[in-house]
Amino acid sequence: MAVGLEFFRLPPEEKAKLYSDEPSKKIRLSTSFNVRKETVHNWRDYLRLHCHPLEEFVPDWPSNPETFKEIISTYCCEVRLLGLRLLGAISLGLGLEEDYIENVLGEQEQHMAVNYYPRCPKPDLTYGLPKHTDPNALTILLMDPHVSGLQVLKDGAQWIAVDPRPNALVVNLGDQLQALSNGAYKSVWHRAVVNAARERLSVASFLCPCNSAVIGPVAKLVGDGDEPVYRSYTYDEYYKKFWSRNLDQDHCLELFTGQK
């Protein structure tokens, strides 16, 4: 958290070396979500890093602050191990073999977003991020320990603040787990709000299927005589569709319902 905040407090001309609004760029500093598609922007800057395999991407990560690469890469390794343990527990909870979901997802990519939400003079006019679900499988979020901003949608009706807890991580289930479980697990709708008094930082780590992974409901989880809720697709197909839309549109997963 400290080295992430240190990065965002660098002079603008230093940070500008990493700026890009190209969503496919694997290491970039950007703003809002997808400025090429949006008509209304969000009150967020973020540093997007691809993290696996580390040796492929770390050389192009920021060298300023000096400790950035060492600290962030160590965190990436640990959070990946945690994510794989969680996927094993989810598999068991669905009555599957412990390594089932990990095997289906393939050699998973790992991305990180270091999110910076500056103080906002008119927080009622914007969001840090509007409501959305995550397109990947699993997201592990390290929250600012002092400033709240994350909200989740409960029962489709009420927004609930997720207040920071000391030494805790927040785990969001993404769209791919909803599809694989045939809807038994739900991808969580969430958003980020901003405030006028304090800046806020969060670090989101995304475990993503490999692009060629074929995602679809596990046959064992589809009831006898029932049709699967979602059709099969590759993650590459899903991810491209997700980025072709605005973040706050209807659930992207709804475009993949029914048999192909």
Side-chain angles (χ1 to χ4, degrees), residues 13 22-23 39 48 54 56 82-83 88 114 124-125 128 140-141 150 166 173 181 189 210 220 233 236 240 246 248 256:
E13 58 272 15
E22 170 51 58
T39 54
R48 186 81 172 192
L54 274 171
E56 179 178 339
L82 173 61
V114 185
D124 56 323
L125 296 182
I140 299 174
L141 181 69
L150 175 65
L173 302 184
S181 69
W189 284 93
C210 69
K220 182 179 178 179
Y233 53 86
D236 183 61
K240 286 177 178 175
N246 289 333
D248 58 355
F256 293 83

Side-chain angles (χ1 to χ4, degrees), residues 65-98:
E66 289 184 1
T67 58
F68 185 92
K69 291 181 178 180
E70 178 186 359
I71 291 172
I72 298 295
S73 61
T74 300
Y75 178 77
C76 285
C77 289
E78 296 297 331
V79 84
R80 184 178 184 84
L81 292 174
L82 173 61
L84 295 177
R85 286 177 60 196
L86 289 167
L87 289 176
I90 291 169
S91 286
L92 291 173
L94 290 169
L96 307 171
E97 294 295 324
E98 186 172 3

Side-chain angles (χ1 to χ4, degrees), residues 118-194:
R119 288 180 294 177
C120 180
K122 295 183 178 181
D124 56 323
L125 296 182
T126 188
Y127 290 105
L129 279 174
K131 71 169 186 175
H132 65 284
T133 62
D134 291 341
N136 52 300
L138 196 69
T139 302
I140 299 174
L141 181 69
L142 179 61
M143 297 176 64
D144 192 305
H146 306 297
V147 187
S148 63
L150 175 65
Q151 297 181 342
V152 297
L153 187 61
K154 179 177 172 57
D155 301 326
Q158 184 180 7
W159 286 101
I160 304 293
V162 181
D163 293 326
R165 298 181 64 178
N167 305 311
L169 296 164
V170 172
V171 179
N172 283 349
L173 302 184
D175 293 346
Q176 306 317 311
L177 288 180
Q178 180 167 330
L180 282 169
S181 69
N182 202 40
Y185 277 110
K186 303 297 184 186
S187 183
V188 62
W189 284 93
H190 56 289
R191 67 185 185 185
V193 297
V194 291

Side-chain angles (χ1 to χ4, degrees), residues 245-258:
R245 308 162 76 244
N246 289 333
L247 188 61
D248 58 355
Q249 286 182 262
D250 292 339
H251 200 178
C252 186
L253 197 54
E254 294 299 317
L255 303 175
F256 293 83
T257 56

Side-chain angles (χ1 to χ4, degrees), residues 25-38:
K25 191 172 176 61
K26 295 187 175 182
I27 298 167
R28 63 191 176 99
L29 175 69
S30 199
T31 192
S32 190
F33 174 70
N34 186 353
V35 293
R36 292 186 173 187
K37 297 288 295 181
E38 298 164 346

Side-chain angles (χ1 to χ4, degrees), residues 179-182 216-230:
L180 282 169
S181 69
N182 202 40
V218 179
K220 182 179 178 179
L221 303 179
V222 180
D224 291 341
D226 293 339
E227 296 290 343
V229 178
Y230 306 103

